[in-house]
Amino acid sequence: MATGDLNPNHYPAQRAAKVVQHYLNTRHGSPFRLFGLHSVENGSAENVNDTGRKYQLGLTVHEIISNTTLNCTAEVIFPDGAEQQPPVVQVSCEDLSKSNATAEEEAFYQQYKSNQSLVSAQNLPDSYGHIDPDKKPFWHLGIVASSFVMLNESNENTLYNMAQVANITQLATENEQLKFDSHILLHDMVSQEILHWKLLFTWSPAEGVEVQDMEQLRRCNH
Amino acid sequence: TRYVWKSLRYVKIKIRYSYHSIISLIWFQLDFWRGVTDVHSPVDVRVPSHSLQSVKVYLETLDIEYSVMIEDLQVMLDEEQEEMDSALRVVEPRDTNSFDYSRYHTLQEIYEFQDMLVAENPSLVSKIVIGQSYQGRPINVLKFSTGGTKRPAIWIDTGIHSREWVTQASGTWFAKKIVTDYGKDPALTAILNNMDIFLEIVTNPDGFYYTHSSNRMWRKTRKPNRGSNCVGVDPNRNWDAGFGAPGASNNPCSETYRGPSAHSESEVRSIVDFVKSHRNFKAFVSIHSYSQMLLYPYGYTRTPAKDQAELHSLARKAISDLATLYGTRYRYGSIINTIYQASGGTIDWTYNQGIKYSYTFELRDTGRYGFILPANQIIPTAKETWLALMAIMDHTNKNPY
């Protein structure tokens, strides 16, 4: 495993940086706020006391919806061990609060909180890359929710992106949150596998996304 | 017995097979045994029509009851395809000028495009069928040539992984671009006055058909694997370069399954045979998506390619040309450093054959849409990629070896 200064264009630093993206989306993502990895500027890696591997990174991330780019520094620790454990991330970005979307989030929340019927959408995007404009916030919610899974499942030998929201269905709730059941496809670039996950999660402007249940769907191969 | 399909004309027969294990419905392969159901149910088998007589004789010798159910499956398949197409019924383009490059197309539409392009440009373009896919589909290569015999040549392929739809779509655009620019763009004209360009747009037609009919995320070929329920081989791990080394899987259920042996897939073998018999390829570009990268050998070893320095600086030039159009950022480097260790890959084999300018592209995007890139990005992607291709082709033309 690469140790010392890392070439920021090579995959070790890139995989660690992708983990930072997932972390930012779990903490700050919403139907109107989404982060993508933009570039890795510098990085280094070291072994930590036989407990894991620590990466220090200088990177930029892109807040996709407001189209702003932020400089960040981050530390990612991948724990050692035979079984998958989530990496531990610390990150600080300049001007994280700048890309605020409170007005849109509130309007979206009110719309679906008070809606008579529960919304449901499939195949976001469809095979042709198309998403109906009024369904895009659900696609974003899917990305945010799946970032919890992608964060948990990441290690030095993975690189996750969400491939598609196969299904997202609103469920009724008694409390403040909106609640969704979803079937999401993830893509791991390293193994090239498509992984199917069921995710039960809530969202509100105040609380952000909280995942209540996640389960990998094992599929029989065709 | 393995049947080699010459065409998609098949007959479906029902077999009553009383004493032995039952084969459940088998499509597209006679020697593939799947999912035994129960002992007394009949079994449906698909037989190529040219073999029907011998199959009948064989079954009669074994005293096995059979009946012919469907005389011509092609008709049924055509009707099925028609149904799927009608959902997205559009007016058929009459020529390559009215073809919509900003939409994703079916296999049939792309094959028709190829024929139209040849018909419209008979002195520049010809179509060569270099082989057949596992399921018997023709593997088509467009040859762009202004004459000569076995001129030094450039190869471009798209769609080796079927779910990477922006690549086949870009390949279609490249084909039109070449005929449009020859005689108008000085750089391309100079290249074609000296070299031939070969373009294989749908390198994995069975997989591509499957992404339309069944599973948009299908990557591999559609050949069944003996002793497994899992179908398909990764055609970019099936080449004879580091075959068997780390960087591919030996599990048929894996997306990176290398296959039972190097060049076991007809989709790969056809290119291997073509390149070896041509003997004069000078550049070889294999196009994938996604990640926004331009990669050169090797994937199976950390040993740098002999020509690493030149390949690296040409890649730098190519991606900086690419960025001039829309600012799209690409990373570049060897496969094993930039993306991952991968064995049995296309350009490792072509490089080891002596084709120095061997490159792999990973087109848009970097993960936001991934494989399902919106159609409105097809033309921008094709246009910017073309600038990188021109840099590579231009350098190849100016640096003969």
Side-chain angles (χ1 to χ4, degrees):
Chain A
M1 291 262 111
T3 299
D5 279 342
L6 302 174
N7 185 322
N9 294 307
H10 289 180
Y11 68 75
Q14 291 284 332
R15 289 178 193 175
K18 187 66 94 164
V19 171
V20 177
Q21 173 198 304
H22 298 322
Y23 178 84
L24 285 171
N25 279 322
T26 62
R27 290 289 179 280
H28 303 283
S30 85
F32 296 91
R33 203 170 180 217
L34 212 53
F35 294 95
L37 174 63
H38 186 248
S39 70
V40 182
E41 299 300 313
N42 53 69
S44 65
E46 62 184 275
N47 295 313
V48 185
N49 287 343
D50 301 328
T51 56
R53 301 253 308 150
K54 176 157 74 168
Y55 287 72
Q56 314 259 35
L57 302 166
L59 61 152
T60 64
V61 299
H62 186 223
E63 201 291 292
I64 292 167
I65 294 149
S66 66
N67 196 18
T68 51
T69 307
L70 292 75
N71 291 323
C72 306
T73 54
E75 188 184 274
V76 179
I77 300 176
F78 293 107
D80 273 345
E83 288 197 8
Q84 170 66 25
Q85 291 170 77
V88 179
V89 182
Q90 284 178 65
V91 57
S92 106
C93 299
E94 48 151 39
D95 295 327
L96 199 52
S97 58
K98 234 198 223 169
S99 51
N100 246 339
T102 358
E104 292 98 326
E105 287 172 16
E106 197 56 45
F108 176 81
Y109 173 74
Q110 290 303 335
Q111 177 184 358
Y112 289 98
K113 196 80 199 110
S114 54
N115 218 9
Q116 296 290 20
S117 59
L118 299 168
V119 69
S120 176
Q122 289 76 42
N123 296 336
L124 308 176
D126 68 12
S127 287
Y128 308 91
H130 175 75
I131 308 171
D132 280 344
D134 59 316
K135 296 292 195 281
K136 267 203 164 163
F138 298 101
W139 178 52
H140 298 152
L141 265 179
I143 295 173
V144 175
S146 62
S147 296
F148 286 83
V149 178
M150 295 193 283
L151 179 62
N152 279 0
E153 296 296 308
S154 286
N155 56 53
E156 287 170 290
N157 298 309
T158 60
L159 186 81
Y160 280 104
N161 290 292
M162 188 188 83
Q164 189 187 46
V165 176
N167 190 308
I168 180 165
T169 301
Q170 187 182 8
L171 303 176
T173 57
E174 295 300 315
N175 59 23
E176 295 299 302
Q177 270 71 23
L178 299 179
K179 187 166 172 174
F180 300 94
D181 194 14
S182 64
H183 175 175
I184 294 180
L185 276 59
L186 305 181
H187 173 237
D188 170 30
M189 183 66 71
V190 181
S191 66
Q192 292 292 348
E193 298 294 333
I194 302 288
L195 297 319
H196 292 249
W197 282 81
K198 268 191 76 66
L199 277 160
L200 188 66
F201 65 93
T202 62
W203 176 76
S204 68
E207 303 298 319
V209 168
E210 286 176 358
V211 174
Q212 297 188 334
D213 195 47
M214 49 178 123
E215 183 197 339
Q216 185 175 0
L217 301 171
R218 307 271 168 193
R219 308 194 97 216
C220 25
N221 257 290
H222 19 263
Chain B
T1 6
R2 286 300 317 279
Y3 287 86
V4 179
W5 316 139
K6 292 294 175 200
S7 71
L8 274 176
R9 302 214 164 271
Y10 300 116
V11 177
K12 189 170 167 190
I13 65 177
K14 204 175 206 45
I15 302 179
R16 292 192 175 277
Y17 201 13
S18 43
Y19 292 107
H20 302 269
S21 308
I22 294 302
I23 316 162
S24 53
L25 183 68
I26 303 169
W27 286 99
F28 296 104
Q29 53 278 339
L30 281 187
D31 64 339
F32 184 68
W33 295 55
R34 261 198 238 225
V36 173
T37 52
D38 68 273
V39 184
H40 295 293
S41 301
V43 139
D44 295 341
V45 175
R46 199 189 69 139
V47 178
S49 58
H50 65 267
S51 315
L52 181 60
Q53 199 47 41
S54 20
V55 171
K56 279 181 176 176
V57 167
Y58 178 69
L59 291 173
E60 282 158 23
T61 316
L62 291 179
D63 216 6
I64 294 171
E65 240 185 79
Y66 68 88
S67 57
V68 175
M69 294 166 61
I70 299 174
E71 284 297 333
D72 191 340
L73 278 182
Q74 188 62 47
V75 170
M76 210 188 86
L77 291 173
D78 287 345
E79 281 167 6
E80 194 183 81
Q81 181 65 48
E82 187 63 42
E83 261 169 54
M84 292 194 307
D85 287 348
S86 68
L88 305 159
R89 175 56 66 201
V90 290
V91 179
E92 302 282 339
R94 278 165 300 129
D95 54 47
T96 64
N97 288 322
S98 49
F99 187 89
D100 192 347
Y101 299 91
S102 68
R103 290 182 65 244
Y104 291 111
H105 290 273
T106 63
L107 183 65
Q108 179 160 329
E109 287 167 355
I110 295 177
Y111 277 14
E112 284 168 3
F113 163 85
Q114 291 169 345
D115 291 337
M116 285 193 294
L117 193 74
V118 170
E120 293 164 19
N121 303 276
S123 54
L124 183 59
V125 195
S126 56
K127 183 178 85 175
I128 306 172
V129 184
I130 63 168
Q132 293 198 324
S133 69
Y134 173 74
Q135 290 174 339
R137 295 182 170 88
I139 299 175
N140 294 334
V141 172
L142 295 177
K143 176 184 179 185
F144 299 86
S145 178
T146 61
T149 321
K150 282 279 169 69
R151 281 182 172 174
I154 293 158
W155 171 280
I156 303 169
D157 67 69
T158 52
I160 194 169
H161 287 141
S162 36
R163 61 190 179 196
E164 299 166 6
W165 277 18
V166 72
T167 71
Q168 300 95 336
S170 294
T172 310
W173 187 92
F174 298 151
K176 181 62 173 172
K177 179 67 170 166
I178 293 169
V179 307
T180 306
D181 274 12
Y182 179 70
K184 299 200 180 76
D185 173 65
L188 181 73
T189 305
I191 291 165
L192 272 174
N193 284 341
N194 191 36
M195 304 182 77
D196 294 338
I197 299 173
F198 291 85
L199 174 62
E200 183 176 348
I201 298 174
V202 189
T203 306
N204 179 3
D206 295 348
F208 189 57
Y209 183 84
Y210 198 72
T211 59
H212 280 271
S213 68
S214 305
N215 181 353
R216 175 63 179 81
M217 296 293 169
W218 191 260
R219 165 184 170 91
K220 301 188 287 182
T221 64
R222 286 297 300 164
K223 181 152 132 255
N225 294 301
R226 210 170 281 277
S228 171
N229 283 330
C230 297
V231 175
V233 166
D234 184 343
N236 198 26
R237 300 289 185 280
N238 187 244
W239 299 72
D240 195 8
F243 189 87
S249 171
N250 63 357
N251 180 348
C253 298
S254 165
E255 294 281 26
T256 57
Y257 176 49
R258 63 173 66 104
S261 57
H263 305 169
S264 59
E265 304 310 283
S266 61
E267 295 81 356
V268 170
R269 172 110 247 158
S270 302
I271 302 175
V272 168
D273 291 346
F274 187 75
V275 167
K276 280 179 137 168
S277 74
H278 186 280
R279 297 155 75 96
N280 210 17
F281 276 98
K282 298 301 176 188
F284 195 103
V285 181
S286 192
I287 301 184
H288 293 251
S289 74
Y290 58 94
S291 285
Q292 291 175 204
M293 294 173 178
L294 177 51
L295 305 166
Y296 51 80
Y298 287 107
Y300 71 90
T301 173
R302 287 202 184 271
T303 306
K306 180 170 54 73
D307 305 287
Q308 153 122 336
E310 186 185 359
L311 292 174
H312 194 79
S313 79
L314 177 55
R316 179 188 301 120
K317 162 101 179 41
I319 63 122
S320 79
D321 287 355
L322 185 153
T324 60
L325 207 49
Y326 302 106
T328 306
R329 302 158 58 107
Y330 266 58
R331 291 187 289 127
Y332 62 102
S334 66
I335 296 165
I336 197 169
N337 283 334
T338 311
I339 188 168
Y340 41 48
Q341 183 169 23
S343 63
T346 307
I347 66 163
D348 287 357
W349 181 82
T350 60
Y351 185 76
N352 284 347
Q353 295 297 302
I355 305 174
K356 178 163 56 157
Y357 302 112
S358 288
Y359 285 97
T360 284
F361 277 81
E362 294 278 358
L363 303 187
R364 293 193 191 180
D365 59 12
T366 55
R368 184 174 179 209
Y369 288 95
F371 299 119
I372 25 189
L373 195 70
N376 63 14
Q377 291 198 43
I378 293 171
I379 294 183
T381 301
K383 281 182 165 172
E384 67 190 11
T385 307
W386 184 249
L387 298 181
L389 284 172
M390 280 299 297
I392 293 168
M393 295 196 292
D394 190 65
H395 183 93
T396 305
N397 190 38
K398 290 178 170 149
N399 292 275
Y401 60 92

